[in-house]
Amino acid sequence: MGLTVSVAGASGYAGGELLRLISGHPHLEVGAVTGQGSVGAAVGDVHPHLIQYADRRFTATDPAALAEADLVFLALPHGESAAVAAKLPAGVKVVDLGADFRLADPVAWGAYYSGPHAGTWPYGLPELPGGRDAIAAAERVAGPGCYATTITLALAPLIAAGVADPDDVVVVAASGTSGAGKGLKPHLLASEVMGALMPYRVGAHQHVAEIKQATGARSLSFTPVLAPMPRGILATVTAKPLGDAGAARAVLENAYRDEPFVHVLPEGRWPHTGATLGANTCLIQSTVDVDSGRIIVTSATDNLVKGAAGQALQCANLMLGLPETAGLPVNGVAP
Amino acid sequence: MGLTVSVAGASGYAGGELLRLISGHPHLEVGAVTGQGSVGAAVGDVHPHLIQYADRRFTATDPAALAEADLVFLALPHGESAAVAAKLPAGVKVVDLGADFRLADPVAWGAYYSGPHAGTWPYGLPELPGGRDAIAAAERVAGPGCYATTITLALAPLIAAGVADPDDVVVVAASGTSGAGKGLKPHLLASEVMGALMPYRVGAHQHVAEIKQATGARSLSFTPVLAPMPRGILATVTAKPLGDAGAARAVLENAYRDEPFVHVLPEGRWPHTGATLGANTCLIQSTVDVDSGRIIVTSATDNLVKGAAGQALQCANLMLGLPETAGLPVNGVAP
Amino acid sequence: MGLTVSVAGASGYAGGELLRLISGHPHLEVGAVTGQGSVGAAVGDVHPHLIQYADRRFTATDPAALAEADLVFLALPHGESAAVAAKLPAGVKVVDLGADFRLADPVAWGAYYSGPHAGTWPYGLPELPGGRDAIAAAERVAGPGCYATTITLALAPLIAAGVADPDDVVVVAASGTSGAGKGLKPHLLASEVMGALMPYRVGAHQHVAEIKQATGARSLSFTPVLAPMPRGILATVTAKPLGDAGAARAVLENAYRDEPFVHVLPEGRWPHTGATLGANTCLIQSTVDVDSGRIIVTSATDNLVKGAAGQALQCANLMLGLPETAGLPVNGVAP
Amino acid sequence: MGLTVSVAGASGYAGGELLRLISGHPHLEVGAVTGQGSVGAAVGDVHPHLIQYADRRFTATDPAALAEADLVFLALPHGESAAVAAKLPAGVKVVDLGADFRLADPVAWGAYYSGPHAGTWPYGLPELPGGRDAIAAAERVAGPGCYATTITLALAPLIAAGVADPDDVVVVAASGTSGAGKGLKPHLLASEVMGALMPYRVGAHQHVAEIKQATGARSLSFTPVLAPMPRGILATVTAKPLGDAGAARAVLENAYRDEPFVHVLPEGRWPHTGATLGANTCLIQSTVDVDSGRIIVTSATDNLVKGAAGQALQCANLMLGLPETAGLPVNGVAP
């Protein structure tokens, strides 16, 4: 079909995953591939797994070059998307994988981020009520964060249905290391990570505002944990029930019955992050805690796919009038 | 000093860890070393890391042979301790690493375990108020479970001090695979575990009654997660505050100021399970969630040491009149 | 195009990987899906990552049902392929992923395997000289083993070109655990594997005969190692040079210049098994040892893809007159 | 006994391991603890597992402060030991964990290292013939490298006994990531390492000269591999036999019969790096390759213990007149 997409920030993990997914997409070709510290380097030096693009070279993040495509993915560090987006002409569609345009409320923005609030774009989670249509109609879309995606898919239908109390939500979520990016930080060294778990930014993570906005939660306790695996998020969401806790599972089943990428598992089976590896899939299971009566929902995604690049591509498909599922694996790579 | 200890069930992971720790103990010698499926096998075939005992052979779990020691460790499968213990003469001290004698309430027992309630022994967590003295005075002690230890150390002082609401506690805790033992189960195969997280027995784990008894919690939501590492537990305990949430950290610091094995970390540092590997150490950090105001306490242990064999040895030291810390490493093996 | 393939032994790791690849194949549909211990179970219970087939059920390995397809993949335990293949009518094409039909020499068979020699089918390694044509013309093909594939691609061109001495080859190759299958063996438990390396069947592995046959080596020292990762093989092949050792790299480059799945890396880059995850790709690099002058070739594959299911599908494409690369990922899933 | 040892470079992995081992040593106390980038930092911030030293602070690497101890360990980056050692007075004993003083031959030095050859100290491998006495008599000792230790223990007795041909040795050895230190390099990030193997410096590693010197090998092909585990080295050493290959195993058994730290395993058991974790132990097994007739010896160590800090402490014990095994664990921490 001759549609072209360009990727700004393609030397990072989310950018590399975009390239991988685009390589298997039946209707898209890759245009500009930009990277900051990697300008001039071969893709194969930075992403040795991307055999098909091994000889391409990263160029500078030049808005004019990016704008030659039908759609631009921005996979840039926090705070850099706004400046690039501002220089892209109106006719060019944009999906931003960063946080710059996710929040509607400037006060919420100011509570968690530094710098001015850049603005608000439609939120790129197609499975939310109205999400799909809003994305399809948009020129610019803000892709959700990986934690926010995994938690929102588990929780939003329950709050919307009045089954879960939005004033008492507790979330503990563990992520693989690719969620932290490629920064050279001591705690991300393999020697430190392998064989161990560690919480971080406990009770103060910058994605809290986004999760509250997307789920409707009014009080959210959030503890993120770094897990010894390259990819994957497992979220454990517990909420105080309003009315019949046992209704929660049916609410989730109804919400996702026709969704291609979100699956409520049969009873007795729990989400395994390994089952989502490389796939744009979210697996969900729910139960009622025997002792406390709280609703417990667990959900699993691949943070780089449904949590980042896959979801961005799902949005791009909608924005470009392509089949929503084009180029997006549903089956994970396991074991 | 010529004291001898025997180990029933020494072919399992907890039993092997007991042997490792005893090998470095200045006052103890190993007596009978028994194992069921492994009778006749060399220790070196089952535990290739136990070089010093490589040529010893496992014998059958014979109470008479076990009773030749000053103290017997029972590291047997669930439900087997009671029968063996009943055959040990009154003068022989016993530390049971299983669940048989942990619960005081037969009703609570019946809710989570099959079979009759065997009875109640003093609970082997020296750091609980009065725990140390009760253990020192006991002939028989029930060693706590690994999850229960890690969660109780994080939570019990807060409930006792009236800072945390016992009616609203949510715990998510992830464990390394050795906590599941050596059973040949498909979900414990390396291919399935590596690179992935999976919850299990969500909202219905059999240790809930023990945790409630030990912490004083009246309502407990508990989600256990299997993590891709051989050892370690990271517990995230959140509780609704009663009064000043900010007082929680000081309560924990006061509770453990003089404890050799439980350490509240300086602010800004979070527990890393890797730092406890091989050590009888529990690391704790606490904060107040910015959004929800809940108290969040995270704690880390090595499930086989402070969560099993190390704690059992700590109890044995008390029961035998030895220094409580003898033979127990405080520093972990890292990275 | 209406072509159908059936998979015998689909409950194993290689069988599951066949299903995953077929799900992304543009010209193939899945017919019978059989499994032995799993008859009647849902695919989703055995392979939770295969979302698209989650509700299908494994049937018994019935030759009549298998034979309704255009091609049958046999992913059966060692020694079971011959019996099933004998019952498949002549018109049905077959690719066997097991060892039964790989060896031409019954004496070599007898040296490494028990049971009678079932016969010899064309060897399913398309990149060998003449391999592609022989496979395309065959009704039945014997898919190579994972070690054999990885080692042969590194070594065969050098022996064929007279650059490497076939009488002095030393190979050490490490494999992820999925290569050992799903058998419930103690040394495959996650607790035993994570964080550790262990050699096995040193100097006596049953694939030696196959590797010698495929490479032309006359003397082969082979040490396999079990590595703490679910997938991937890294082979280190060293050979005494005949003539100019420095010519080795050019020989490999020439051999694979037009191959879609085998890539000699640019100098300075070494094969990383992670870069092949989920892809039908073999990465190769070669150098001359500074001290000894030996040729050292290292090669990396995903043992379940180029080492098993992907290669079988590559053969099937050739046998069915489809594009050889159809449905076969080239880019790995990383990090 | 009042002996004090100081550690220069204590903020690195080998330095941290020295502190861990010294904490369990019955006769030694820690003196100065120096670190370069970490001067002023608490030990607990850099090594969270070293609970007992958590509140100590790293000081600058000042020779005068170091010299107040009975013995100084130098765990410094390559090339920095010589300058510090030159400023330590003659009466202070020194064990260097770096490469500066290992090589006897300045030409060999120049072939693998930059900078002038600093000199030659006795080689700190007590298990070599004469090694123990030379170390005990020395004021300054050069601790062997981790690869060199693991390979030399497997090979040196065979060459000395005339059983292995020194002109045809091929070694492939895989190491955990702590062997690469704490440098912030992209290929050492957890996301890159977990789940994957990668060779590096193939056929050109700087330890080749040291291994040849220590083993007597005249031609050595050496391929190092980075493995997804924090600790451990597994070396596969193959050599062409001279005379009866089958004699190799007995030669090794005789060489190490009375050694406390080097163990030739019973036949049928292979070295598992996990069994050496945290221990000053080397496990060895040997066989004759069925096809090639080559001798294959595999050996496993913990690279930070017998490969670095443990061996340095073993040397220090000899130099200080202490029992050679004091403070050195023999049993590993497993699983």
Side-chain angles (χ1 to χ4, degrees):
Chain A
M1 290 178 70
L3 289 172
T4 301
V5 294
S6 52
V7 181
S11 57
Y13 286 143
E17 190 69 354
L18 275 166
L19 293 179
R20 183 181 76 85
L21 293 171
I22 296 165
S23 78
H25 195 291
H27 308 305
L28 297 181
E29 279 177 37
V30 172
V33 171
T34 83
Q36 286 163 303
S38 306
V39 172
V43 169
D45 279 321
V46 173
H47 298 303
H49 61 296
L50 298 179
I51 314 288
Q52 287 175 308
Y53 303 125
D55 296 330
R56 290 200 54 160
R57 303 257 160 199
F58 293 102
T59 57
T61 302
D62 169 20
L66 292 167
E68 289 174 15
D70 296 284
L71 185 143
V72 178
F73 292 106
L74 301 178
L76 298 166
H78 166 66
E80 299 188 11
S81 293
V84 176
K87 295 185 189 158
L88 294 172
V92 177
K93 295 174 197 284
V94 180
V95 179
D96 181 22
L97 282 76
D100 295 26
F101 297 97
R102 288 178 195 156
L103 294 187
D105 178 1
V107 175
W109 172 270
Y112 288 95
Y113 296 100
S114 58
H117 183 227
T120 310
W121 292 354
Y123 193 63
L125 192 52
E127 291 84 1
L128 285 183
R132 191 161 274 123
D133 292 341
I135 295 163
E139 289 285 304
R140 311 211 157 181
V141 165
C146 51
Y147 279 126
T149 295
T150 314
I151 294 163
T152 299
L153 291 171
L155 179 61
L158 301 180
I159 290 180
V163 170
D165 182 351
D167 288 314
D168 188 349
V169 177
V170 177
V171 177
V172 177
S175 173
T177 51
S178 61
K182 276 189 175 175
L184 295 174
K185 298 169 188 163
H187 75 285
L188 297 178
L189 285 175
S191 296
E192 304 294 322
V193 168
M194 291 187 288
L197 290 168
M198 187 176 63
Y200 65 101
R201 294 195 208 158
V202 179
H205 195 278
Q206 71 276 15
H207 285 181
V208 166
E210 179 187 347
I211 298 167
K212 290 175 69 179
Q213 171 181 297
T215 60
R218 285 191 296 260
S219 168
L220 180 75
S221 166
F222 179 39
T223 303
V225 174
L226 187 68
M229 54 193 199
R231 294 184 180 217
I233 286 182
L234 180 73
T236 300
V237 178
T238 83
K240 190 165 287 185
L242 295 176
D244 177 17
R249 203 166 167 285
V251 168
L252 292 165
E253 280 187 330
N254 287 335
Y256 300 122
R257 176 155 293 130
D258 299 324
E259 288 295 341
F261 297 123
V262 184
H263 301 274
V264 178
L265 293 170
E267 292 192 66
R269 234 191 267 165
W270 291 93
H272 186 278
T273 64
T276 70
L277 189 89
N280 199 47
T281 293
C282 179
L283 298 176
I284 293 178
Q285 182 58 286
S286 171
T287 195
V288 178
D289 188 87
V290 168
D291 187 74
S292 71
R294 287 180 81 98
I295 300 165
I296 305 180
V297 191
T298 60
S299 55
T301 63
D302 181 327
N303 58 295
L304 289 181
V305 192
K306 187 60 181 165
Q311 184 144 272
L313 188 52
Q314 187 180 353
C315 291
N317 284 339
L318 290 165
M319 295 162 77
L320 293 169
L322 300 171
E324 184 178 339
T325 58
L328 289 167
V330 170
N331 298 329
V333 180
Chain B
M1 290 176 71
L3 290 171
T4 301
V5 294
S6 53
V7 181
S11 57
Y13 286 143
E17 190 69 354
L18 275 166
L19 293 179
R20 183 181 74 87
L21 293 171
I22 296 165
S23 78
H25 196 291
H27 306 304
L28 297 182
E29 279 178 37
V30 172
V33 171
T34 83
Q36 286 162 303
S38 307
V39 172
V43 170
D45 279 321
V46 173
H47 298 302
H49 60 295
L50 297 180
I51 314 289
Q52 286 174 309
Y53 302 124
D55 296 330
R56 290 200 53 159
R57 305 258 160 199
F58 293 102
T59 57
T61 302
D62 170 20
L66 290 167
E68 290 173 14
D70 297 282
L71 185 143
V72 178
F73 292 106
L74 301 177
L76 297 166
H78 166 68
E80 299 188 12
S81 293
V84 176
K87 295 184 188 157
L88 294 172
V92 177
K93 295 174 197 284
V94 181
V95 180
D96 182 21
L97 283 73
D100 295 26
F101 296 97
R102 289 178 194 155
L103 294 187
D105 178 2
V107 176
W109 172 270
Y112 288 95
Y113 296 99
S114 58
H117 183 227
T120 309
W121 292 353
Y123 194 63
L125 193 51
E127 292 84 1
L128 284 183
R132 190 161 275 123
D133 291 342
I135 295 163
E139 289 286 304
R140 310 213 158 179
V141 165
C146 50
Y147 279 126
T149 296
T150 316
I151 294 163
T152 299
L153 291 171
L155 179 61
L158 301 181
I159 289 180
V163 169
D165 183 350
D167 287 314
D168 188 348
V169 176
V170 177
V171 176
V172 177
S175 172
T177 52
S178 61
K182 276 189 175 174
L184 295 175
K185 299 169 188 163
H187 75 283
L188 297 179
L189 285 176
S191 296
E192 305 293 323
V193 168
M194 290 187 288
L197 289 168
M198 188 175 63
Y200 65 100
R201 293 193 207 158
V202 179
H205 195 277
Q206 71 276 15
H207 286 180
V208 165
E210 178 186 347
I211 298 167
K212 288 174 70 180
Q213 171 182 296
T215 61
R218 285 191 295 260
S219 168
L220 179 75
S221 167
F222 179 39
T223 303
V225 173
L226 188 68
M229 54 194 198
R231 294 184 179 216
I233 286 183
L234 180 73
T236 301
V237 178
T238 83
K240 190 165 286 184
L242 295 176
D244 177 18
R249 203 165 168 286
V251 168
L252 292 165
E253 280 188 329
N254 286 335
Y256 300 123
R257 177 155 293 128
D258 299 324
E259 289 294 341
F261 297 123
V262 184
H263 301 275
V264 179
L265 293 170
E267 291 193 65
R269 235 191 265 166
W270 291 93
H272 186 278
T273 63
T276 70
L277 189 88
N280 198 47
T281 294
C282 178
L283 299 177
I284 293 178
Q285 182 59 285
S286 170
T287 193
V288 178
D289 188 87
V290 168
D291 188 74
S292 70
R294 285 181 84 98
I295 299 165
I296 306 179
V297 191
T298 60
S299 56
T301 63
D302 180 327
N303 57 295
L304 289 181
V305 191
K306 186 61 182 166
Q311 185 144 271
L313 187 52
Q314 186 180 353
C315 292
N317 283 338
L318 289 166
M319 296 162 76
L320 294 169
L322 300 170
E324 184 178 339
T325 58
L328 290 167
V330 170
N331 298 329
V333 180
Chain C
M1 290 178 71
L3 289 171
T4 301
V5 294
S6 53
V7 180
S11 57
Y13 287 142
E17 190 69 355
L18 276 166
L19 292 179
R20 183 180 76 86
L21 293 171
I22 295 164
S23 78
H25 196 292
H27 307 304
L28 297 181
E29 279 177 36
V30 172
V33 171
T34 84
Q36 285 162 304
S38 307
V39 172
V43 169
D45 277 321
V46 173
H47 297 302
H49 61 295
L50 298 179
I51 313 289
Q52 287 175 309
Y53 303 124
D55 296 330
R56 291 201 54 161
R57 303 257 160 200
F58 293 102
T59 58
T61 302
D62 169 20
L66 291 168
E68 288 173 17
D70 297 283
L71 185 142
V72 179
F73 292 105
L74 300 177
L76 298 166
H78 166 67
E80 299 188 12
S81 293
V84 176
K87 295 185 188 156
L88 294 172
V92 177
K93 295 175 196 285
V94 181
V95 180
D96 181 22
L97 282 75
D100 294 26
F101 297 97
R102 289 178 193 154
L103 294 186
D105 178 1
V107 175
W109 172 270
Y112 287 95
Y113 295 100
S114 58
H117 183 226
T120 309
W121 291 354
Y123 193 64
L125 193 51
E127 292 84 0
L128 285 183
R132 190 160 272 125
D133 292 342
I135 295 163
E139 289 285 306
R140 310 211 159 182
V141 165
C146 50
Y147 279 127
T149 296
T150 315
I151 295 163
T152 300
L153 291 172
L155 179 61
L158 302 180
I159 290 179
V163 169
D165 183 350
D167 288 315
D168 188 349
V169 176
V170 176
V171 177
V172 177
S175 173
T177 52
S178 61
K182 276 189 177 175
L184 294 175
K185 299 170 189 164
H187 75 284
L188 297 179
L189 284 175
S191 296
E192 304 294 322
V193 168
M194 291 187 288
L197 289 168
M198 187 176 63
Y200 64 101
R201 294 195 207 156
V202 179
H205 195 277
Q206 72 275 17
H207 286 180
V208 165
E210 179 187 346
I211 298 167
K212 290 174 69 179
Q213 172 182 297
T215 61
R218 286 190 295 260
S219 167
L220 179 75
S221 167
F222 179 39
T223 303
V225 173
L226 187 68
M229 55 193 197
R231 294 184 178 216
I233 287 182
L234 180 74
T236 300
V237 179
T238 82
K240 190 165 286 186
L242 295 176
D244 177 17
R249 205 167 165 285
V251 168
L252 292 165
E253 280 189 328
N254 287 335
Y256 300 123
R257 176 155 293 131
D258 300 322
E259 289 295 343
F261 297 122
V262 184
H263 301 275
V264 179
L265 292 170
E267 291 193 66
R269 235 191 267 166
W270 290 92
H272 186 278
T273 63
T276 70
L277 188 89
N280 199 46
T281 293
C282 179
L283 298 177
I284 293 178
Q285 183 58 285
S286 170
T287 193
V288 178
D289 188 89
V290 167
D291 188 74
S292 71
R294 284 181 86 96
I295 300 165
I296 305 179
V297 191
T298 61
S299 55
T301 63
D302 181 328
N303 58 295
L304 289 181
V305 191
K306 186 61 180 166
Q311 185 143 271
L313 187 53
Q314 186 182 354
C315 291
N317 283 339
L318 289 165
M319 295 162 77
L320 294 169
L322 299 171
E324 184 177 341
T325 59
L328 289 166
V330 170
N331 298 329
V333 179
Chain D
M1 289 175 72
L3 289 171
T4 301
V5 293
S6 53
V7 181
S11 57
Y13 286 142
E17 190 69 355
L18 275 166
L19 292 180
R20 182 180 77 86
L21 293 171
I22 295 165
S23 78
H25 196 292
H27 307 305
L28 297 182
E29 279 177 38
V30 172
V33 171
T34 84
Q36 285 162 304
S38 306
V39 172
V43 169
D45 279 321
V46 172
H47 297 303
H49 60 295
L50 297 179
I51 313 289
Q52 287 175 308
Y53 302 125
D55 296 329
R56 290 200 54 160
R57 304 259 160 197
F58 293 102
T59 57
T61 302
D62 169 20
L66 291 168
E68 289 172 16
D70 297 282
L71 184 144
V72 178
F73 292 105
L74 301 176
L76 298 167
H78 165 67
E80 298 188 12
S81 294
V84 176
K87 295 184 188 156
L88 294 171
V92 177
K93 295 174 196 283
V94 181
V95 179
D96 181 22
L97 281 74
D100 295 25
F101 297 96
R102 289 177 193 156
L103 294 186
D105 178 1
V107 175
W109 172 269
Y112 287 95
Y113 295 99
S114 58
H117 183 227
T120 309
W121 292 353
Y123 194 64
L125 193 51
E127 291 85 1
L128 285 183
R132 191 161 273 123
D133 293 341
I135 294 163
E139 289 285 306
R140 310 211 159 181
V141 165
C146 51
Y147 279 127
T149 296
T150 316
I151 294 163
T152 299
L153 291 171
L155 179 60
L158 301 181
I159 290 180
V163 170
D165 183 350
D167 288 314
D168 188 349
V169 177
V170 176
V171 177
V172 177
S175 172
T177 52
S178 61
K182 276 189 174 174
L184 295 175
K185 298 169 189 165
H187 75 283
L188 297 179
L189 285 175
S191 296
E192 305 293 321
V193 168
M194 290 187 288
L197 289 167
M198 187 176 63
Y200 65 101
R201 294 195 207 155
V202 179
H205 194 278
Q206 71 274 17
H207 287 179
V208 166
E210 179 186 347
I211 298 167
K212 290 174 69 179
Q213 172 183 297
T215 61
R218 285 190 296 258
S219 168
L220 179 74
S221 168
F222 178 40
T223 302
V225 173
L226 188 68
M229 54 193 199
R231 294 185 179 215
I233 286 182
L234 180 73
T236 301
V237 178
T238 83
K240 190 165 285 185
L242 294 176
D244 177 16
R249 204 167 165 287
V251 169
L252 292 166
E253 280 188 328
N254 287 335
Y256 300 123
R257 176 155 293 130
D258 299 324
E259 288 294 342
F261 297 122
V262 184
H263 301 274
V264 179
L265 294 169
E267 291 193 67
R269 234 192 268 166
W270 290 92
H272 187 278
T273 63
T276 69
L277 190 87
N280 199 46
T281 292
C282 178
L283 298 177
I284 293 178
Q285 182 57 287
S286 170
T287 193
V288 178
D289 187 87
V290 168
D291 188 75
S292 71
R294 286 180 83 98
I295 300 164
I296 305 180
V297 191
T298 61
S299 55
T301 63
D302 180 328
N303 57 295
L304 289 181
V305 191
K306 186 61 181 167
Q311 184 143 272
L313 187 53
Q314 187 180 353
C315 291
N317 283 338
L318 290 165
M319 295 161 77
L320 293 169
L322 300 171
E324 183 178 341
T325 58
L328 290 166
V330 170
N331 298 329
V333 180

